Amino acid sequence: MLEPSIVKDDEVEILIKDVYDLYGYDFSDYSRASFKRRINRICLIDKFTSFAELRYTVLNDIDYLKRFVEEITVNVTEMFRDPYFFKELREKILPQLGTYPLIRIWLAGCSTGEEAYSIAILLKEANLYHKSLIYGTDINPSVLETARAGVFPLHQMKLYSENYMLSGGKEDFSKYYIANYDSVRFDKSLQEKLILSTHNLVSDTSFNSFQLIICRNVLIYFDKPLQERVFKLFDDSLENFGYLALGAKETLRFSGINKDYQQVDDQKIWKKIGHY
């Protein structure tokens, strides 16, 4: 089926300006192709037949704005997504981080929190959880509420369990949650070291110093100048000899900070080797 094209290029620019002027959400450096595709998807799902109808609703219904931002910024996520990435963390990166007295990890664009719970499980199994802090941030406050609740659909557990095993997990995955009808609640202990807050990669600054920053499948939605700005933010936030992990289609190779990083493996993890 062909993608709908209800919203045209010039209308995308109008909507970006509207949302920024009224609400302060700045999407001006998002990839136009991705942004337009998501807007047209919103029109299809919410049955808007014209740009004018969508624009009127966004400008006049504050409750709808929340949904609009959620749809624009949503990232598809799952627990232990790309299991071999987590296997690499488990086997090569966490033993290095274990040498620190306190481990600080930033999950940028953490969405509904599946990745955060995955990292918490890895740290527990490496006996490092007690001296770790996991910062999960996202521009979208509503997805963070899902992350705080720790409640996910039961039907996803089969996939998550398979991912967990492929990542090198040796436990029975069901030990980490309690099933209740058609949903599961993850163990509260997995939240003890988890700090969730809103953070806008586009406009906010560094807020701590980290040994590991994970930002997977977020930068593909940004254009090149914004990617550079985010890389600079990550560089400012990462300690020397810390690690930066990106998504499968993302790379530091052509970035301005590339000279100070060394790729660890083929799982898109880079080590900061410092400034010389």
Side-chain angles (χ1 to χ4, degrees):
M1 186 175 115
L2 289 173
E3 285 189 5
S5 192
I6 295 162
V7 180
K8 299 178 175 59
D9 290 348
D10 58 332
E11 294 168 336
V12 167
E13 301 305 321
I14 292 168
L15 197 57
I16 286 173
K17 186 174 188 307
D18 285 341
V19 171
Y20 180 71
D21 288 347
L22 263 96
Y23 305 112
Y25 286 104
D26 187 359
F27 294 111
S28 59
D29 288 325
Y30 274 53
S31 157
R32 288 301 187 268
S34 172
F35 192 85
K36 183 181 177 185
R37 188 164 57 247
R38 291 191 174 208
I39 290 175
N40 279 305
R41 180 173 174 273
I42 290 170
C43 290
L44 185 68
I45 293 170
D46 293 346
K47 297 181 170 54
F48 292 115
T49 57
S50 69
F51 169 70
E53 192 180 347
L54 169 66
R55 187 186 185 201
Y56 179 85
T57 305
V58 169
L59 295 184
N60 293 283
D61 184 347
I62 189 69
D63 291 330
Y64 186 77
L65 173 77
K66 181 180 174 184
R67 166 164 172 70
F68 176 82
V69 171
E70 186 170 331
E71 283 296 321
I72 293 297
T73 60
V74 71
N75 293 299
V76 177
T77 185
E78 62 191 44
M79 291 194 73
F80 295 94
R81 185 185 185 190
D82 305 323
Y84 296 106
F85 165 77
F86 284 92
K87 190 176 178 68
E88 196 74 15
L89 288 183
R90 187 192 292 275
E91 295 179 353
K92 293 186 180 176
I93 307 304
L94 291 191
Q96 298 296 319
L97 298 186
T99 63
Y100 291 89
L102 175 64
I103 303 165
R104 290 182 300 274
I105 299 171
W106 179 15
L107 303 178
C110 71
S111 191
T112 43
E114 286 88 337
E115 195 166 56
Y117 287 96
S118 303
I119 293 294
I121 289 170
L122 282 192
L123 289 165
K124 270 186 174 288
E125 294 185 358
N127 198 28
L128 298 174
Y129 189 64
H130 64 285
K131 62 171 185 174
S132 300
L133 288 174
I134 306 167
Y135 294 79
T137 65
D138 202 279
I139 189 178
N140 183 351
S142 64
V143 297
L144 294 175
E145 287 306 310
T146 301
R148 284 190 186 96
V151 176
F152 301 103
L154 177 62
H155 69 83
Q156 293 178 339
M157 292 308 113
K158 184 175 184 295
L159 170 63
Y160 292 178
S161 179
E162 290 169 358
N163 286 352
Y164 165 76
M165 296 302 288
L166 288 171
S167 79
K170 300 289 193 295
E171 305 287 341
D172 181 346
F173 187 63
S174 63
K175 74 176 274 189
Y176 292 112
Y177 62 81
I178 297 170
N180 183 22
Y181 298 104
D182 58 352
S183 66
V184 307
R185 179 186 295 277
F186 274 83
D187 193 310
K188 288 288 187 185
S189 69
L190 296 174
Q191 299 179 341
E192 288 173 1
K193 303 293 186 174
L194 178 58
I195 301 162
L196 295 165
S197 63
T198 55
H199 182 276
N200 188 339
L201 290 172
V202 175
S203 57
D204 292 343
T205 56
S206 177
F207 60 93
N208 211 325
S209 176
F210 301 93
Q211 290 95 26
L212 172 62
I213 297 174
I214 301 174
C215 184
R216 300 197 302 148
N217 308 309
V218 175
L219 297 174
I220 51 174
Y221 301 113
F222 297 169
D223 69 9
K224 191 75 167 65
L226 180 52
Q227 286 180 9
E228 278 300 313
R229 221 154 74 216
V230 175
F231 283 143
K232 177 69 166 60
L233 169 64
F234 289 159
D235 189 49
D236 289 344
S237 306
L238 194 64
E239 291 184 6
N240 274 350
F241 311 112
Y243 297 91
L244 174 62
L246 303 176
K249 296 178 181 176
E250 298 162 337
T251 184
L252 275 188
R253 190 172 302 153
F254 307 108
S255 74
I257 67 170
N258 180 54
K259 66 184 185 305
D260 296 318
Y261 287 76
Q262 188 174 61
Q263 192 164 359
V264 175
D265 66 344
D266 59 357
Q267 292 298 324
K268 295 303 180 84
I269 301 172
W270 281 263
K271 183 175 186 177
K272 184 173 181 177
I273 54 178
H275 305 278
Y276 298 102

